[in-house]
Amino acid sequence: MSRFLEAQPPYTIETGKDAYAALLEIRGKKGFVRLGFGLASARLWAEKLSEVSKEGRVNRALKDLGYDSTQIEDLLDLGRGWTTDFESTQKDAKTQRVFRKLLEE
């Protein structure tokens, strides 16, 4: 989690991987609650993700890797959607598959 929060511009695809890894870490702590973020760490994560998404480099990197319809900010929806199910919508399932694949590379 700290690696993601401490990231500085210019952000890279590694920042996107760190964002997803941090999301998994927070999820393990049940940091997300229905329709929002339950822990301070989850709120900090969401704020940092917003900063990263505004800068735009991670989205360009995802597009360059062939993930045209996936963006870093999709992780925010994924986090909000994770209440009891990891994949509450098709889009969430796709987002998770993309970022899981990136982590494995």
Side-chain angles (χ1 to χ4, degrees):
M1 172 80 166
S2 62
R3 190 166 136 165
F4 174 61
L5 294 179
E6 293 168 1
Q8 296 295 317
Y11 301 115
T12 66
I13 199 65
E14 292 302 316
T15 310
K17 292 178 185 181
D18 291 342
Y20 181 64
L23 175 62
L24 294 176
E25 183 181 322
I26 294 167
R27 172 64 182 174
K29 296 177 183 176
K30 300 186 188 266
F32 294 97
V33 295
R34 188 161 185 77
L35 300 178
F37 301 100
L39 294 176
S41 60
R43 288 190 296 275
L44 288 172
W45 174 86
E47 289 169 10
K48 181 67 175 186
L49 190 76
S50 177
E51 176 187 315
V52 170
S53 68
K54 286 178 188 169
E55 196 247 10
R57 287 181 192 242
V58 176
N59 286 342
R60 286 193 296 278
L62 284 165
K63 188 172 183 177
D64 290 346
L65 290 170
Y67 302 115
D68 292 343
S69 61
T70 301
Q71 299 187 343
I72 187 75
E73 52 265 29
D74 292 339
L75 290 178
L76 192 61
D77 292 336
L78 184 60
R80 285 191 177 128
W82 274 355
T83 53
T84 55
D85 298 330
F86 268 33
E87 300 171 351
S88 53
T89 67
Q90 277 192 327
K91 183 179 179 186
D92 288 350
K94 181 179 179 196
T95 300
Q96 182 163 284
R97 279 193 307 273
V98 167
F99 280 93
R100 189 183 306 127
K101 183 175 180 181
L102 288 172
L103 273 183
E104 292 169 356
E105 292 178 351

